[in-house]
Amino acid sequence: MSIFMIVLALIVLALAGYSLVYTFRLAGQEKRLKGDFDTDIPDVVKEHPFIRNPVFLSILIGTILITLFIIYWSIRYLS
């Protein structure tokens, strides 16, 4: 694996980690703030708040796809 790929992989992992932490902080703030104009959250979402959140899903899917892409290119050009 070249140094460029290692640096790129580290940048991708750092960015994914930062966005995940930022999203968890933002979700924590939403729990503490109660608005008068908010509607009730459906019971299905209350049972699985992280699985039903599109932000978490996009971070997870994007990280998996980028990691698979890096592994694919590393294996292809190492051999």
Side-chain angles (χ1 to χ4, degrees), residues 5-32:
M5 291 297 285
I6 293 172
V7 170
L8 183 63
L10 291 176
I11 290 172
V12 166
L13 289 175
L15 186 61
Y18 172 75
S19 18
L20 189 64
V21 169
Y22 181 76
T23 304
F24 274 118
R25 279 193 192 154
L26 195 61
Q29 286 178 353
E30 289 293 323
K31 282 184 180 178
R32 283 180 262 148

Side-chain angles (χ1 to χ4, degrees), residues 5 8-9 11-13 15-16 58-73:
M5 291 297 285
L8 183 63
I11 290 172
V12 166
L13 289 175
L15 186 61
S58 62
I59 290 172
L60 178 67
I61 292 169
T63 304
I64 290 171
L65 288 175
I66 290 171
T67 304
L68 290 174
F69 181 75
I70 291 171
I71 291 171
Y72 168 76
W73 280 98

